[in-house]
Every structure is written in structure tokens, then in C-alpha cells.
Amino acid sequence: MPTFFKINNLEKQSIEVPGTRSEGATGHYRHSAFVGGLVDHIREAPHVKTLYDLFETSASKHSELEFLGRRSYDPVTKTYGRYTWETYAQIRQRINEFGSGLMHINEVVLGSDQLDRWSLGIWSLGRPEWFVSEMSCNYYNNISVPLYDSLGPDAVEYVINHAEVRMVSCSANHIATLLQNSHKLPTLKAIVSMDSFTNPATLPGTANAAEVLRAWGAEKGIKIYDFYEVEALGRAFPRKHIPPKPDDVASLCYTSGTTGQPKGVMLTHRNFIAAVGTNREGMRLGPGDVTISYLPLAHIMGRLSETSASFSGCKIGYFKGDILTLMDDVAELKPTYFSAVPRLLNRLYARLVAATIDAPGLTGALARKGVEVKLANLEAGKGVDHPLWDRLIFNKVKMVLGGRVQVLLTGSAPIAKEVLNFLRVCFGCSVLEGYGSTEGLATATVTMADEYIPGHVGCPRAGCEIRLVDVPAMNYFSTDKPFPRGEIQIRGAMIFKGYYKDEKNTRETLDENGWLATGDIGFVDNRGCFTIIDRKKNIFKLAQGEYIAPEKIENTLTARCKLIMQIYVHGDSLESTLVAVVIPDPETFLPFANAVAGTQVTLADRAGYKRLIDDPKVNAAVMVELEKAGKAGKLRGFEFVKRVHLSTDMFSVENDMMTPTSKVRRPQVREYFSDKIQAMYEDIHRTTTVAKL
């Protein structure tokens, strides 16, 4: 089970290092146990300096332990069975073979220079082949370039060309896309399918899919292999490892920009090792721990989680690939450690609330009392366990996550206080909230295991220090009372090397002293804990001069209004009020709207659902819920939305209104809903005029 290194004094979690203040900035805040020096390596394994060292050490130490697992699939019954596992030794052998096979293809088949470093694109959902592909780059000193599974062809084209990707290891469903666009991909020379080509043709004398793909690839000048062929080549032509150096770039991790093209974050081996070492100073997983991998591995949070687990001797089970059936995978795997994002936890929270404290009769009454008692204990610093209420209610609730989860980590976006504490008492485990970015390898702050006060993102991790820098345009200053406020800047060994081929953005983000400007606004309280309160980017002024950070408002409303699946808050300098576009969550919205309209529409009745969406009474009722959520989130008066447009047109990667990391592309959403936005403002102006008359 996970082991925590608890802070000695929760009331003083970080300390401002004396003598480090400068004009326009606070001093440097460090974790109270690491004021004398930051962690920049894995302290129990000082010889581990690269990702190659990391897995060689782990595979030797844990060789016979089960490591990577996936659920077996019966194509006849079309059902999934139990997890099947490969050991650390087996995965290490596959890395050797796959890496050797790629080197043989690169040098012998493609005729490339033996000493040349090159980039391997990786494009699929999480699976053992993803890990093998990435780690093979570390064994032969090449560069991994993860591609988001939901990236459209245009973004894939940009990343492959920008990173000069020579080969792509991908799931079979992406091969056609790559070949269709191959005329735009001059550096791409080979594609490796993670799915086997061994299935025979259905009719004698007909070509199977593999033959068709190979012939198509030959026309385009691109070699097509399946994963097992490459491994076989590696067995036939084994290569010696080419260990990387700590400052070599291990991966180009492209951030999905909300406006322009994605930026290639250069992450070195030193960055990864510093992040793993830093994370182990707060919590250590070990043999016997199990985690589920379902977050996109092109996203740094999922990547760091998997890298840390691989050093610890853990088991990593991959989900089937369908987020809608994730809980079925969780029930089968029974993880001890679970990484999550607020969007998933908010939906889980809504379901648990409906089944417990909002349930009718005795069940609801008991749940409300149990939650009340456990929340009181938590707020008093007495922990999350209770012998009576756990036995009566919450041990059953724990089974939603398999019954064994000891640690639940959330990150990537803010989560509401009430959600955080409700999950803590329901699951009876440590619920940690972390904060970080791709440029800092997802490592900046985290809450403590025994934290009892919600609403902040904890203190600096052992390997980094933080300062707050004045933002005069937004009226945030390091001299503010009662607490210093400003832009959060981070420094440590996990901070990235820079943006690939992009000196301008590198200079704007990373200063000469190594400080990473995050663009997030925060304050630090008297316990040394940091709270995110605003965003420096994506801000605008209302007509009366008030600054608005729409993402903050969207996060506040989403966390507190269970009707919302997606939301876009809009305003500009010509208007004094905000409006919103909301895509309702059908699971919660449908019963709510039926109750308001007095109907019994089902989700299958699309015409009926559309009528509910357009019903003025339903719209007015949703506005009431948004107002309640705004008050609960302590929004200021000018931050409340005054009109809402309900729609079924979800923001997605496919329609270019969302990035692969679930960030709203604001200009695209504004353009798509421009008529509706204009209509909402016209209604506000008309109502205001009538009121004056």
C-alpha cells in the first residue's frame, strides 16, 4: 500500500526562504522539510540519472513481478474477461527487441546514419505497446513524440513535421490517416501497427488488410510493419543499448494550444528523474500497489504517473479504451492508487450524491447523518475513518472504486471544496489535489495526505520552489494583505529545457534564472499553502472596467452545478455583463428538465430532448441553478452570468472547439455560437430598456 511521508506541522507547510525577496516578488517558498536544499534526483537510488537507468534498475529488482496488464477479449462473445499480465522481465525483453528492431529498420532498411538521433511518434490509447515504444527510445537514445489519440489530421501533420518524426508506432485505426496525409509528411518513413496483422483473409485468394496497407504504403514510400514483426527483427538483429545522458531530450511533449499551434515542450532525462524523485518524497508506491492507466499518455500527468509506478514495482492495468465503462475496469482491477481529473470526479460526485444524501427514505436519512458526522471529524482533524458509519454505509460506497483505493489524486483543473471533502469521507482515503504543468513535468504543489482544509493546492513539492510576482494590470501584488498575491512562478530541476524550435515563446515563459512563468494567479496563506485564484491569460475587461477570468468562472460553475457537462462563459469590453453557453449533462439534466416541464421525455426521444433544451421554463430553471452555484463558489456580482443558451452541440476536437486536453478553444466557440451570444445580449438590452421605462 502507498507510504506517506507526513509533514511535521500542517500549520507551516512551506517557508519563505530568508533573504530571497526581490522588488515586485515574494521570496522563494520551499517545502518546510526542504528549506535547506531541493531534491533533484531519486534519493534512495542516486545512480539513476536517466529513464534508461530507471527502468533497468526496476526491471532487475522486480523482474518476476507482474507489471503491465490488459483485459482479455473474447471476439465470439464480444466480452472482456480478467486482466492478463506481463512481468517486468518480459516487458524489458520486449523493449530490447522492439528497440533493436527499430534501429535495424532505421539503419538497414531506411539507410539512416547509425549515430543519428531521431524521433518516434506514438499514437494510441494507453496499452503495453505504448510503454514499450516509449521506453525503447530511452534504451537507444532516441526521442519519443506522443500524439494525442484525439488529435485531428491537421495537428498530427504539424507535430510530425515540426518534430521531424521518422517513424510512428500507432494503433491500427490511425494507419489510414497517416497514409492519406503522407504527401504532407516528408520525414515519415515507416509506420508500426500496435495491432497484429496475423489475421488471415476471409476468402481464399483475396488480400487481407495487412497486404492492402503494405501495398498502399509502398505507393507512398512508407514501410508498414506490425509490432511483432519489429520485435522479431530485434531478436534476429540485436543491438547494444545506447544509454542517454541526463541532459539529452527524452521527449517532445506537445501542449495543445487553445489558440495557435501546439508548442513542443523539450523534457530531458534529468527533468523526468527529478520529478520522479520529488514525487517519491511525498508518497511512495511499492510492490503490491496497483494503478489503472486511462489518462492520455500524451498528457504529462498520465505519463508521470506511469513512469513513477514503473520505478516502484507496481502493477499498471490499462482500461479497455472506453471511458464510459471505466468503472467496470476499475471494479475488475481493484486499484490501490487512482489518478483522476476533476471532470471525472465531478460526475462521480453527482452519482454518489444521488445514491446517498439525496436518496429518498431511510437510505438518504442515514447517509446525510453519516456524511455530517464524518465531515465534522474531518474538519476537526480526526481523519476520514469512522467505525460505525463506514460499516453501515461507506464500505459499500468504496466498492465503486474497487474497494482498495488508498490514495486518490486529482489534478489538471480546480475541484470544488465540497466535492473534495465529500469524496474524502465517502471513500475513506487520502484525496490529494496536485498542481503542475507540462513545462514543469506536472510537479509543483500537492496537498498533504492528512490535510483537512480544502480549497487550495498544497505546498511546494520537495524538488521545487515557488514565488509570486506582481501583476499590476490585474491589481495583484506580492505586498497584498492579508496574503501575498501574484503570478505563480516555479523553479527546480524538473523545469523543461525550452520549446522546440521556438526561442520567442521560450524566452517569454522561462527566464534566465530558471523561473517558469505559469500564467496562473495565486496567493499563499499563513500555513504556506497556495491557492489558484485567477488566470493571467484569457482575461478581458467588461465595459465598467472589471477584469474577468472566464476559465475561473467556468470551473466554479462546473464544479457546483451538476447539470453542466460543458460551459463557455463570454463577455467583452463593450458589454457590462456575462453570458454563457451550456451543454447539459443528459444524465442529470433530463430528470431535472422533466420535473420543470412536467414531461416524461427519455433520452431516446431526441425531438423531445430538443424541446426541453429550448423550453424557456427550463432555461429559467437552469439560470437559477447557475446562480446558486455562483453564490456557493463566492463569485463576485459582475462574475455571474445573466443569460444562458442551452445546446446539444458539444465542444469536441472534431469540431475544433476543444483541445485534446479538454480545454475550450475560445475563439472557435465564440464564432460558432456568435448568433446565440448576440441574441442573449439583445435580450439583456431589451429587458434593461423596458425596466427603465
Side-chain angles (χ1 to χ4, degrees):
M1 295 298 176
T3 302
F4 288 104
F5 293 80
K6 295 186 178 180
I7 197 165
N8 292 329
N9 182 8
L10 280 175
E11 303 311 311
K12 205 63 181 175
Q13 298 185 27
S14 73
I15 294 172
E16 187 178 17
V17 179
T20 58
R21 291 188 183 183
S22 58
E23 186 175 353
T26 65
H28 309 167
Y29 283 81
R30 293 181 177 180
H31 188 294
S32 61
F34 297 92
V35 175
L38 301 178
V39 172
D40 61 2
H41 63 286
I42 304 172
R43 291 204 294 173
E44 78 266 34
H47 67 284
V48 172
K49 300 182 184 302
T50 66
L51 290 170
Y52 169 76
D53 299 336
L54 180 147
F55 195 69
E56 277 288 280
T57 299
S58 187
S60 298
K61 184 177 181 181
H62 307 298
S63 61
E64 300 308 312
L65 294 183
E66 293 176 335
F67 177 33
L68 302 183
R70 69 181 111 200
R71 295 187 70 176
S72 58
Y73 180 70
D74 186 334
V76 177
T77 61
K78 297 182 178 180
T79 57
Y80 285 87
R82 308 199 68 178
Y83 275 88
T84 58
W85 298 90
E86 294 175 272
T87 66
Y88 276 81
Q90 288 170 327
I91 293 297
R92 182 181 184 273
Q93 181 178 346
R94 293 189 71 186
I95 292 166
N96 285 327
E97 293 172 354
F98 186 72
S100 292
L102 289 182
M103 295 297 284
H104 177 81
I105 292 169
N106 183 58
E107 295 165 19
V108 177
V109 179
L110 303 181
S112 301
D113 189 327
Q114 184 177 3
L115 300 178
D116 184 26
R117 293 189 80 202
W118 48 275
S119 297
L120 174 71
I122 310 175
W123 193 9
S124 82
L125 296 173
R127 54 191 292 176
E129 290 76 20
W130 209 109
F131 185 91
V132 171
S133 297
E134 179 197 15
M135 196 56 69
S136 72
C137 293
N138 301 322
Y139 270 54
Y140 292 93
N141 199 19
N142 293 313
I143 302 168
S144 63
V145 183
L147 303 171
Y148 283 96
D149 194 66
S150 53
L151 278 177
D154 291 345
V156 169
E157 174 193 333
Y158 174 81
V159 171
I160 288 176
N161 288 333
H162 190 260
E164 301 171 60
V165 168
R166 192 169 299 172
M167 295 189 234
V168 171
S169 175
C170 64
S171 49
N173 60 308
H174 294 308
I175 297 176
T177 299
L178 291 170
L179 290 177
Q180 286 168 350
N181 292 279
S182 60
H183 62 288
K184 303 176 184 178
L185 308 171
T187 65
L188 182 63
K189 302 301 180 185
I191 299 170
V192 181
S193 171
M194 294 183 182
D195 300 296
S196 174
F197 284 164
T198 58
N199 293 331
T202 55
L203 294 173
T206 62
N208 62 27
E211 293 172 343
V212 172
L213 287 173
R214 290 187 208 277
W216 190 8
E219 290 179 7
K220 305 289 187 179
I222 294 177
K223 300 290 185 180
I224 307 292
Y225 300 88
D226 84 7
F227 212 87
Y228 307 104
E229 285 180 288
V230 177
E231 289 177 313
L233 280 172
R235 288 191 294 273
F237 304 100
R239 300 296 181 103
K240 290 183 179 180
H241 299 161
I242 307 175
K245 297 180 178 62
D247 288 323
D248 286 338
V249 173
S251 186
L252 291 177
C253 194
Y254 280 80
T255 60
S256 50
T258 55
T259 53
Q261 293 286 10
K263 299 188 290 289
V265 177
M266 294 189 287
L267 298 172
T268 67
H269 288 270
R270 188 186 302 279
N271 296 152
F272 275 99
I273 298 307
V276 172
T278 292
N279 280 273
R280 286 184 68 78
E281 295 298 333
M283 177 191 72
R284 290 188 185 177
L285 303 176
D289 278 312
V290 182
T291 185
I292 187 163
S293 177
Y294 70 96
L295 297 172
L297 292 178
H299 189 285
I300 199 61
M301 181 177 172
R303 192 102 162 275
L304 177 61
S305 177
E306 198 160 297
T307 303
S308 297
S310 71
F311 178 75
S312 304
C314 296
K315 294 166 70 171
I316 302 172
Y318 293 95
F319 82 130
K320 297 189 297 290
D322 184 355
I323 197 69
L324 297 178
T325 62
L326 174 63
M327 290 304 152
D328 177 58
D329 296 326
V330 170
E332 176 63 32
L333 186 63
K334 296 178 175 57
T336 61
Y337 170 74
F338 190 88
S339 292
V341 291
R343 184 178 178 186
L344 174 67
L345 295 181
N346 287 335
R347 299 194 71 179
L348 184 60
Y349 167 75
R351 292 176 184 177
L352 290 177
V353 165
T356 56
I357 59 178
D358 281 356
L362 182 60
T363 298
L366 286 172
R368 287 189 289 275
K369 184 61 179 177
V371 168
E372 178 187 347
V373 170
K374 292 193 72 175
L375 282 176
N377 280 352
L378 176 65
E379 291 168 6
K382 297 179 181 179
V384 294
D385 297 320
H386 194 284
L388 173 62
W389 292 110
D390 286 346
R391 182 166 54 85
L392 285 177
I393 298 172
F394 298 108
N395 286 341
K396 295 177 183 177
V397 175
K398 292 178 186 179
M399 297 309 296
V400 172
L401 294 182
R404 298 200 305 162
V405 169
Q406 299 296 307
V407 180
L408 196 160
L409 172 67
T410 178
S412 85
I415 187 167
K417 298 178 183 180
E418 56 268 33
V419 174
L420 200 66
N421 274 356
F422 183 83
L423 295 177
R424 281 171 172 157
V425 300
C426 275
F427 291 126
C429 69
S430 295
V431 182
L432 313 180
E433 184 172 6
Y435 166 70
S437 65
T438 304
E439 290 83 352
L441 236 156
T443 302
T445 71
V446 72
T447 53
M448 297 295 105
D450 46 0
E451 180 60 83
Y452 59 95
I453 299 175
H456 59 86
V457 292
C459 68
R461 299 232 181 169
C464 69
E465 55 189 351
I466 297 177
R467 68 178 183 179
L468 299 177
V469 177
D470 293 351
V471 186
M474 299 177 70
N475 203 32
Y476 292 121
F477 296 96
S478 55
T479 54
D480 285 346
K481 304 295 181 183
F483 304 126
R485 302 188 301 175
E487 181 184 14
I488 295 173
Q489 296 193 354
I490 304 166
R491 186 166 67 176
M494 75 289 298
I495 300 300
F496 78 136
K497 189 174 185 176
Y499 295 116
Y500 187 53
K501 300 178 184 176
D502 192 348
E503 291 186 12
K504 178 178 180 293
N505 276 309
T506 298
R507 288 195 302 269
E508 290 177 357
T509 307
L510 193 63
D511 76 9
E512 64 276 8
N513 296 314
W515 287 102
L516 170 69
T518 67
D520 292 315
I521 306 296
F523 72 82
V524 58
D525 64 21
N526 53 10
R527 300 197 311 154
C529 296
F530 286 79
T531 300
I532 313 297
I533 57 173
D534 218 331
R535 180 73 181 154
K536 190 175 178 181
K537 297 179 181 178
N538 291 332
I539 63 171
F540 54 80
K541 273 185 180 181
L542 291 177
Q544 67 271 40
E546 299 286 1
Y547 278 100
I548 295 292
E551 290 171 332
K552 182 194 78 170
I553 299 171
E554 289 161 358
N555 288 329
T556 296
L557 297 178
T558 301
R560 292 167 175 81
C561 180
K562 63 183 180 180
L563 303 176
I564 297 173
M565 178 175 284
Q566 297 174 322
I567 184 171
Y568 165 75
V569 170
H570 178 84
D572 62 52
S573 59
L574 300 177
E575 301 288 350
S576 59
T577 56
L578 301 176
V579 297
V581 175
V582 167
I583 315 301
D585 184 338
E587 189 172 327
T588 52
F589 173 75
L590 193 56
F592 171 85
N594 274 328
V596 172
T599 56
Q600 294 183 333
V601 173
T602 65
L603 193 56
D605 180 3
R606 294 189 178 183
Y609 188 79
K610 184 65 168 60
R611 285 195 297 273
L612 288 175
I613 287 281
D614 295 336
D615 189 326
K617 290 185 296 184
V618 173
N619 186 288
V622 170
M623 275 298 304
V624 171
E625 296 302 310
L626 292 177
E627 186 170 351
K628 290 179 183 176
K631 289 178 179 177
K634 297 182 180 179
L635 294 181
R636 294 168 292 181
F638 56 85
E639 293 177 315
F640 281 75
V641 299
K642 298 304 180 183
R643 294 292 187 277
V644 63
H645 170 70
L646 304 179
S647 175
T648 57
D649 297 337
M650 289 187 63
F651 316 152
S652 69
V653 174
E654 289 71 25
N655 62 24
D656 203 35
M657 289 194 284
M658 180 168 281
T659 73
T661 50
S662 298
K663 294 184 177 71
V664 175
R665 293 189 190 274
R666 311 196 73 83
Q668 289 85 338
V669 175
R670 181 178 66 243
E671 176 64 24
Y672 185 86
F673 289 101
S674 59
D675 291 345
K676 305 301 181 183
I677 291 169
Q678 182 179 348
M680 285 189 280
Y681 277 121
E682 287 175 354
D683 186 54
I684 291 173
H685 299 158
R686 184 169 50 251
T687 304
T688 303
T689 301
V690 170
K692 289 179 179 178
L693 293 175

